[in-house]
Amino acid sequence: MTVRTRFAPSPTGFLHVGGVRTALFSYLFARKHGGVFVLRIEDTDLERSTAESVNAILEGMTWLGLEYDEGPFYQTERFERYSQVIDNLLDEGLAYRCDCSKERLDALREEQMAKKLKPRYDGHCRHRDLDPGKPHVVRFRNPDHGDVAVDDLIRGRVVFSNEELDDLVIRRSDGSPTYNLTVVVDDWDMGITHVIRGDDHLNNTPRQINILRALGQEPPRYAHLPMILGDDGARLSKRHGAVSVVAYRDQGYLPEALLNYLVRLGWSHGDQEIFSLDEMIELFDIDQVNKSPSSFNTEKLDWLNQHYIQHGDPRRIAHLLSPHLGRLDIDPATGPDPIDVVLAQQARAKTLAELAAISAFVYRDFDDYDEVAARKHLRPVAREPLERLRGRLDMLALEDWEPATLEHTVERVAQELATKMGKVAQPLRVAVVGRAASPGIDVTLTLVGKEATLRRIDRALDFIRGREAER
């Protein structure tokens, strides 16, 4: 048997991290067993489904590198097939037409709740021969007795009583099929062997199994993933921060960091924290997924992202950094090679957006000094070191503007003034960068370039003279 899994998002909003974890686990299971990973777009909610959401799903899957083998398939292109299946169920007495009004259904629900019974349809229309030309819905005739046992790969055996399941609607009055019918037909037609999805679908599973068996089909194996919680224990939502995959991309997270983080939400392999995609495929086992919910920890994601930025190929990181520089209105072509910037800064940032922000000084002059850094390092006592540095740096030829020569120049000024290196380098750093943190002063000056360095030293000297005049 060839393993076939599917990821079946609804395009009614963004692709969120919970959905990505489902896609990832389905992808890993298929790849580990030499199987097929299918992408299906469940767009039967015509009012809420949008082309924008479809594009966000496809864009997110591409960015993450979760390559699907078949699809994307769209349910809206399969309405004729669903209608055929529903008509067959009607012909075989396994489904029936229902014209119960909303008022009757509401009254039935209130009566059942008053008696502390589980609300369910009472089968009022089961034996009525309704005119198919008049408004109606179609209901699946659920078995009256017995149990449905779901041998879940994560939760173990879960048993549902058929007496608790009602005759669910499988075709609306407008002729459109409902979720539980379309999912069943798609999983059947696409040969899905394993359904990996969130545990919010667990209650749908016995209903879908009953429909499959009514169609003469054996159900796939099911694995229901526990939900993802925010730091406060509530279900992960927008109020906990970004939950859209595209938002994480735009904030400067790397796809490998997000996948690495999500695979550890509910699954582990010893104490290992860092996993390449190939390692995930090799080591992943659905049987080892936890039954309990997992909590999303942004600090842990940041740690992983910093690891991947720091240890990633500088050329690739530079390529991914460029759009983040663009969002700051910086054209990377106007300054040093972004690869050199990455080499200097990649251990200093948790995200690409942060890396762009702390590297902006390389490409353009800053507006203001960091207040604390300026108060500490741009004092009157720094005027002489900066003036002497300015003179020495001005004398350097452009071909000598490289780290070794620049470091020697700063060291020489410190020696001449009989002071520590930091007393010279830190005022210079604040003058050139605007703050007290940057790569080594030799690398910093190399990246900024001679013209900008001299201009910024002049500005710092004016700042110091202004402070002197205020006294």
Side-chain angles (χ1 to χ4, degrees):
M1 177 188 71
T2 300
V3 167
R4 292 176 63 88
T5 67
R6 47 77 159 179
F7 176 50
S10 297
T12 55
F14 49 76
L15 178 60
H16 56 83
V17 293
V20 171
R21 185 186 63 167
T22 298
L24 174 62
F25 283 15
S26 299
Y27 171 88
L28 295 177
F29 190 85
R31 290 289 177 267
K32 181 178 181 68
H33 295 283
V36 176
F37 178 54
V38 178
L39 177 63
R40 185 169 78 221
I41 306 297
E42 298 189 340
D43 56 347
T44 55
D45 188 339
L46 301 179
E47 291 185 1
R48 299 173 59 218
S49 296
T50 66
E52 183 182 12
S53 294
V54 171
N55 290 336
I57 291 169
L58 300 179
E59 185 180 2
M61 294 290 284
T62 299
W63 177 68
L64 291 165
L66 297 180
E67 298 177 351
Y68 38 93
D69 304 297
E70 296 179 11
F73 299 109
Y74 296 87
Q75 288 187 329
T76 48
E77 298 176 356
R78 290 172 47 79
F79 274 24
E80 185 175 344
R81 169 62 173 152
Y82 304 138
S83 183
Q84 177 190 49
V85 171
I86 294 170
D87 288 343
N88 288 342
L89 289 171
L90 283 167
D91 291 342
E92 295 174 16
L94 297 170
Y96 60 92
R97 296 178 180 88
C98 170
D99 65 356
C100 288
S101 65
K102 181 178 183 300
E103 290 73 20
R104 181 186 184 279
L105 296 176
D106 288 343
L108 175 63
R109 177 182 178 84
E110 289 179 12
E111 179 183 346
Q112 290 171 331
M113 293 183 68
K115 294 179 180 179
K116 297 185 179 179
L117 299 174
K118 183 176 180 179
R120 58 194 294 269
Y121 182 65
D122 61 357
H124 174 73
C125 291
R126 271 191 175 192
H127 304 292
R128 298 175 65 205
D129 186 17
L130 298 179
D131 182 351
K134 293 184 178 181
H136 67 275
V137 299
V138 174
R139 292 183 180 271
F140 171 69
R141 181 165 184 160
N142 196 76
D144 295 320
H145 306 291
D147 296 326
V148 184
V150 181
D151 290 314
D152 194 277
L153 295 171
I154 295 173
R155 303 171 64 96
R157 173 162 281 213
V158 185
V159 179
F160 298 84
S161 170
N162 277 317
E163 294 180 0
E164 302 251 329
L165 307 175
D166 60 1
D167 294 350
L168 58 91
V169 174
I170 57 175
R171 182 155 66 193
R172 302 179 184 91
S173 59
D174 64 1
S176 63
T178 60
Y179 167 77
N180 280 298
L181 185 283
T182 59
V183 167
V184 164
V185 177
D186 288 344
D187 286 345
W188 171 23
D189 287 353
M190 297 174 190
I192 302 302
T193 62
H194 294 78
V195 173
I196 301 171
R197 59 188 180 186
D199 62 5
D200 54 326
H201 287 287
L202 182 59
N203 287 333
N204 289 323
T205 301
R207 296 172 168 85
Q208 293 170 12
I209 288 176
N210 280 339
I211 296 176
L212 275 165
R213 287 180 174 157
L215 294 168
Q217 303 300 315
E218 276 301 307
R221 296 296 308 275
Y222 292 93
H224 290 90
L225 305 173
M227 69 177 65
I228 301 175
L229 306 177
D231 295 332
D232 57 0
R235 186 163 192 152
L236 190 67
S237 64
K238 287 183 179 180
R239 65 189 178 84
H240 295 103
V243 290
S244 161
V245 170
V246 174
Y248 280 102
R249 181 199 64 187
D250 293 345
Q251 289 178 12
Y253 289 90
L254 301 180
E256 56 267 38
L258 186 58
L259 290 178
N260 193 153
Y261 180 71
L262 291 176
V263 81
R264 292 283 285 108
L265 279 183
W267 175 83
S268 62
H269 180 74
D271 296 327
Q272 185 171 341
E273 295 286 353
I274 307 298
F275 295 89
S276 67
L277 192 56
D278 287 341
E279 286 177 310
M280 293 182 207
I281 293 170
E282 177 186 353
L283 300 172
F284 181 76
D285 190 339
I286 196 72
D287 295 336
Q288 294 176 351
V289 174
N290 296 333
K291 298 178 183 179
S292 56
S294 302
S295 294
F296 197 93
N297 186 319
T298 302
E299 290 183 3
K300 185 63 175 291
L301 174 59
D302 288 346
W303 176 82
L304 278 169
N305 203 57
Q306 185 168 28
H307 168 86
Y308 281 103
I309 290 175
Q310 183 173 354
H311 298 283
D313 180 351
R315 289 171 297 181
R316 176 172 177 267
I317 301 299
H319 173 72
L320 296 174
L321 176 65
S322 290
H324 292 277
L325 291 170
R327 291 189 184 103
L328 300 177
D329 292 327
I330 293 173
D331 181 354
T334 62
D337 192 324
I339 295 176
D340 293 330
V341 175
V342 169
L343 288 169
Q345 297 272 58
Q346 65 187 135
R348 296 173 168 270
K350 295 177 182 177
T351 68
L352 294 173
E354 182 182 357
L355 182 57
I358 66 172
S359 302
F361 76 90
V362 172
Y363 296 95
R364 66 184 181 199
D365 291 350
F366 47 87
D367 293 329
D368 300 299
Y369 297 108
D370 176 82
E371 185 176 342
V372 174
R375 187 165 57 247
K376 181 176 180 180
H377 297 292
L378 297 185
R379 297 180 295 156
V381 70
R383 183 157 66 87
E384 184 179 2
L386 286 176
E387 288 176 340
R388 192 167 299 201
L389 279 167
R390 208 264 185 222
R392 292 291 169 77
L393 293 172
D394 190 22
M395 289 169 29
L396 289 178
L398 285 178
E399 59 267 23
D400 293 329
W401 196 269
E402 49 85 29
T405 303
L406 292 167
E407 183 177 20
H408 174 72
T409 301
V410 177
E411 287 177 345
R412 184 177 172 188
V413 169
Q415 291 170 358
E416 291 174 358
L417 296 173
T419 189
K420 295 179 180 178
M421 179 75 165
K423 297 292 186 180
V424 177
Q426 278 302 91
L428 178 58
R429 176 175 281 108
V430 175
V432 173
V433 180
R435 58 182 184 272
S438 78
I441 194 63
D442 53 341
V443 174
T444 297
L445 297 181
T446 301
L447 291 172
V448 171
K450 180 176 180 179
E451 180 181 346
T453 294
L454 297 179
R455 182 173 64 248
R456 295 179 193 181
I457 292 176
D458 288 339
R459 177 187 174 186
L461 288 170
D462 288 341
F463 179 84
I464 292 172
R465 294 186 188 104
R467 294 185 66 177
E468 289 176 330
E470 293 173 358
R471 294 192 171 186

